[in-house]
Amino acid sequence: MTPTNLRAFLDILRRENEVIEISAAVDPNLELAEIHRRVIDEQGPALLFTNVKGSSFPVVSNLFGTTRRVDLAFGPKPEQFMKAVINATSTLLPPTPQALWGERALIMDLLKVGTKKVQPNQAPILGGFKRDNPLAGLPHLTSWQEDGGPFVTLPLVYTEHPDGGHHNLGMYRMQVYDDFTTGMHWQIHKGGGFHYHEAEKRQKPLPVTVFLGGPPALIASAIAPVPEHLPELMLASLILGQKLPMVENPHGGHRLVAEAEFALCGVVPPHTRRAGAHFGHYSLVHDFPIFKVNHVWHRRDAIYPATIVGKPRQEDYFLGEFLQRLLEPAFPVAMPGVQSLWTYAETGFHPLAAAVIRESYSREALGTAFRILGEGQLSLTKFLIVTDKPTILANFSELLETVLERFNPGCDLFIFNKTSQDTLDYTGGQLNHGSKAVLLGTGDPVRELPRAYAAGELPEIEDIAVYCGGCLLVSGASYAAEPELPQRLLANAASRLTEWPLVILVDDASGVAKDQTKFLWTVFTRFNPASDMYAQSSVNRHHIAYELPIVIDARMKPGYPDELFPREDIVELVDRRWEEYFV
C-alpha cells in the first residue's frame, strides 16, 4: 500500500534497511548537506538526523535518492492505474452499459480520487501551534557556502486563484530571511506565480500555505509537470490510491493536509520584493516576492523533510523518472502525434526534451514539435529533439545517433531567438529570456556515422573525444580567452569535420565524454542556441539552411553562475567525523 504519511514511509524504509539514523550532533549549516551529498553519490540510504543543532526537530533527507526507494514510496499501482485510465478512453466512448460494466473496477478506483474532510482530532497536523517568531527553531538547511542563506528545500506551496476554484501545489525555493519571512521564488511557468499575478493586479495579498511532509504522493504531485488546470491534490490522491484527508484550519484560511508534518500559513503581499541569492550552479541574485508567515502548525512529533540540490544525479532525478513513467501514457491523448516524450533530469529538465512522434505525412514532425513547445511547462524547453523512429529516449546516445543518421542540415534545424526561458537558466543573458532550437531526424538514414576521430590535429584544439556516433567533443582555450574560437574552428577545419554532424566545444572534452550525466549536464546548461550554435548557412525565402558540421559552444562563459563545490573546511570536518555519524 502507498504510504499515507512520512512516518509510514519511514517504517517501510526501516523494514527494507533503506534508512539510517544519525544521532551525532550535526550542523544544518553546510555539514548536513555534505553528508547527504556523499551518501547519495554512493546510492546510499535515506538519512534521519535526530540531533540537529539549533532545533528540536529531526531532519530526514535522501528519501527518494534511488529508484528502489521511489518504488517503495509509490509502488506499481499508480502507473497501472494511469494506463488503465488512458486505455478506457477508447472503450468508454461512447459509454455503453456493457463498456461501463467492463471497466467497473477502474470506475471504483476513480471514485476514490479526491479529498475528504476529517475532524480536528483525526488531523495530526494540528498537534502543535506557533505564532510568535513562527519559523524560529525550524532546522532550515544551508547547502552551499555562497547561498544567500538557509532555504526550505522541500516546500509544498499551496495557493488558490483569487477568484476561487482552481488551486496549485508547487515546489518553489524559499530562502529564509528571518523568523517570520522567506522569499517566494516563483518561476514564470508555475501556477503559484499565475495566482500571485492575479492577486497583485487586484492590489491584494495572496494567501499561501506551505506544507512540509505528508504522503510521498503529495511531494510527487507538487513537482509533476501537469497541465495548468489539473489539480495537484487530485493527482496526489490518484497516486495515493485513496482520498486525501484535509482538515479546516482553526484560524481560518486554506484547509490543511491532515497528515503533513508542518503547515506554514501566511500571505505573499503585493508589490513587495526582496533580493535572494539549484542545479549544479549557484542562482544569481534577483528580486522575488516575500512570504510573511503568520503561524505554523506541526505534528507533535514532527520530522522536517529536506533535500539537497546540486550536480546530478540528485533526488529530483529519481522523482522525475517516476513522474515521466506515470504521465507518459497521457502524452498521446494530450498531444496527438506524440508517441513518447522525455525530459532530461541531468539537464534540469527544461533545457532538453525529446520525443518520438508520428510522421504520417511530410513535415508532420515539425508541426508536432510546435505542439510540444506550446504545452504547459514544455513551452520553456530550450532544445527539442524529435524523431519518428522507436527509440529509448532515456538513452540519450541512442536517441542522438538515431537523429544524426537522419538529420538534413538544410531543413531539419530551426533556431528561434527572443523566446521565454526557464528562470533558473542563465544562458540567455537576461532573466527569463533566451532562445530555442528544434532538431529533427526522421525517415530513413542518410549517412553512416563516424565512431572514431582520425582526421589529425585541429587548429587551436587541445583535446578531442567522441561522445557517440556522429558527436565529437573538442576543447581548446576558454571562452574568456578566445570567445571566437568556434567561428575560427569552422573557418579553418569545417571541411575536415563534415562527416561529424555535431561538434561541441567544451572546457574538458575527455571528461565530458565519460558518461551521459556528465555530458548532458555540461552541454545543455552552458549554451544558448541563438548565440552559441554555429554553422555555414544560406537563406532562401526566409528559411536558413545550414551545412555540416553544426558547432555548439558549450564552454563556461562570463556571467554564468559559478559551479557548486563544497567548502574545504566542511569537507575536512565531514572526513574527520565520518565514522562518528555511522556508529
Side-chain angles (χ1 to χ4, degrees), residues 112-315:
K112 299 176 184 177
V113 174
T115 62
K116 65 178 181 181
K117 181 179 179 180
V118 300
Q119 296 303 310
N121 61 0
Q122 299 174 297
I125 185 61
L126 299 180
F129 178 79
K130 189 174 184 181
R131 185 183 292 278
D132 296 333
N133 298 320
L135 297 179
L138 295 186
H140 309 302
L141 306 187
T142 302
S143 301
W144 301 95
Q145 60 270 18
E146 293 183 29
D147 282 348
F151 280 79
V152 183
T153 56
L154 271 182
L156 309 175
V157 181
Y158 180 86
T159 59
E160 295 178 356
H161 194 284
D163 292 336
H166 178 64
H167 75 257
N168 176 260
L169 186 74
M171 189 172 292
Y172 316 112
R173 296 173 307 141
M174 294 171 54
Q175 182 179 339
V176 180
Y177 296 130
D178 52 46
D179 290 342
F180 48 87
T181 314
T182 80
M184 185 59 73
H185 293 196
W186 274 318
Q187 298 165 4
I188 59 174
H189 57 291
K190 298 295 181 69
F194 298 149
H195 291 170
Y196 179 63
H197 176 70
E198 292 299 322
E200 199 168 45
K201 286 197 303 184
R202 295 162 170 78
Q203 310 298 321
K204 293 182 178 180
L206 179 69
V208 173
T209 302
V210 177
F211 300 108
L212 301 177
L218 201 67
I219 296 174
S221 65
I223 65 173
V226 296
E228 181 183 342
H229 295 292
L230 178 64
E232 284 84 3
L233 295 187
M234 299 303 101
L235 178 60
S237 171
L238 183 153
I239 298 172
L240 194 60
Q242 58 183 278
K243 291 185 182 296
L244 183 68
M246 307 288 291
V247 66
E248 296 295 330
N249 185 339
H251 290 270
H254 299 144
R255 294 179 302 162
L256 305 178
V257 176
E259 293 286 350
E261 300 293 314
F262 295 86
L264 285 53
C265 306
V267 299
V268 177
H271 309 295
T272 302
R273 301 291 189 271
R274 184 167 173 177
H278 154 87
F279 187 79
H281 300 87
Y282 286 103
S283 298
L284 301 181
V285 178
H286 305 289
D287 287 338
F288 285 98
I290 63 169
F291 176 42
K292 303 293 292 186
V293 182
N294 295 326
H295 60 272
V296 171
W297 293 99
H298 62 83
R299 300 176 73 119
R300 293 188 186 279
D301 54 351
I303 301 170
Y304 186 95
T307 190
I308 306 300
V309 294
K311 299 176 185 176
R313 302 177 176 181
Q314 301 295 328
E315 288 183 81

